[in-house]
Amino acid sequence: CLGCVLEAFTASICNKDGVEISTCCGNFHNVKEFAKRLISVFETIPSEQSYSIVGFATNASFVSDLVPLSVDAFSSLDSLAYSGGRTNHAAAISSCQQTLSNSDAVERKNMIILITDGNPTEPDEETTAINDAIAAAIQAKEAGSILIPVMLTTTSIDNNTTDYMNEISSEGLFFNTSLSTLDIVEESLLSKVLC
């Protein structure tokens, strides 16, 4: 299964919700490929760019600090393994902001694209996780970063989730999409970056 560490799972499930490994692994691979396509699209912009990769589930981990070349970012994405676990947006946003804060390129526009499949569930209960994520988003935006959540779903999302995603995003830049419509998101993100 592409990008998955099968030893991390028992009884052929990805997490406590009982999602089959084939579904998790396929989605994880598609998200990595989407990130690569997105970087390729951003490279069409004539500007100095660098990329960092942060993986997250229950915890966040630095996959790469800021790297100037897409090939280095692609290599980092290829090395990223699916760990399973819960969804910790606060740790992901804070880790991303930390890589951007360490940057020598103060003249650049800093952007965090949070690719997720659901509301935060870590740490602890959902309310705490949401409040922690909102606090991390506020800090990142106050530091000058643009935060754009991309929510990958196969079903429609409720109003509370929409409100949450809009709250953590910069100026309501939030995308709710499925894996099959990621091409449309690429075009929309490119237009937002160019503004």
Side-chain angles (χ1 to χ4, degrees):
C1 183
L2 297 171
C4 294
V5 181
L6 296 179
E7 299 82 42
F9 310 107
T10 58
S12 299
I13 58 172
C14 288
N15 59 33
K16 68 178 183 64
D17 297 324
V19 178
E20 292 194 18
I21 287 177
S22 60
T23 300
C24 287
C25 293
N27 288 350
F28 184 68
H29 174 73
N30 290 337
V31 168
K32 291 188 336 181
E33 291 305 309
F34 167 69
K36 288 180 186 178
R37 288 195 326 254
L38 197 56
I39 291 169
S40 295
V41 168
F42 286 158
E43 281 192 312
T44 64
I45 302 169
S47 65
E48 186 178 338
Q49 301 175 27
S50 54
Y51 309 93
S52 68
I53 310 294
V54 172
F56 71 97
T58 302
N59 300 300
S61 61
F62 293 102
V63 179
S64 77
D65 284 322
L66 288 170
V67 293
L69 301 173
S70 62
V71 68
D72 294 332
F74 291 170
S75 177
S76 294
L77 283 165
D78 287 339
S79 72
L80 188 59
Y82 185 82
S83 64
R86 297 168 54 90
T87 305
N88 192 336
H89 289 173
I93 294 166
S94 296
S95 295
C96 288
Q97 184 57 42
Q98 184 177 348
T99 67
L100 296 172
S101 297
N102 295 336
S103 172
D104 293 332
V106 294
E107 298 297 319
R108 286 192 229 167
K109 186 186 297 187
N110 288 333
M111 183 177 300
I112 298 170
I113 300 176
L114 178 74
I115 303 172
T116 186
D117 63 355
N119 284 332
T121 55
E122 183 71 26
D124 304 320
E125 63 186 56
E126 187 172 322
T127 303
T128 303
I130 287 173
N131 289 336
D132 286 358
I134 290 170
I138 289 169
Q139 286 183 328
K141 292 185 284 187
E142 286 177 349
S145 293
I146 298 167
L147 178 58
I148 304 174
V150 176
M151 180 112 157
L152 300 175
T153 61
T154 55
T155 60
S156 61
I157 60 173
D158 62 38
N159 289 337
N160 290 336
T161 300
T162 300
D163 292 345
Y164 160 72
M165 289 293 173
N166 280 318
E167 186 165 356
I168 66 168
S169 72
S170 296
E171 302 171 19
L173 297 175
F174 153 58
F175 295 93
N176 177 29
T177 188
S178 67
L179 289 169
S180 62
T181 59
L182 286 175
D183 291 342
I184 296 166
V185 173
E186 288 174 17
E187 294 170 19
S188 298
L189 278 171
L190 182 60
S191 69
K192 300 295 183 192
V193 170
L194 292 173
C195 292

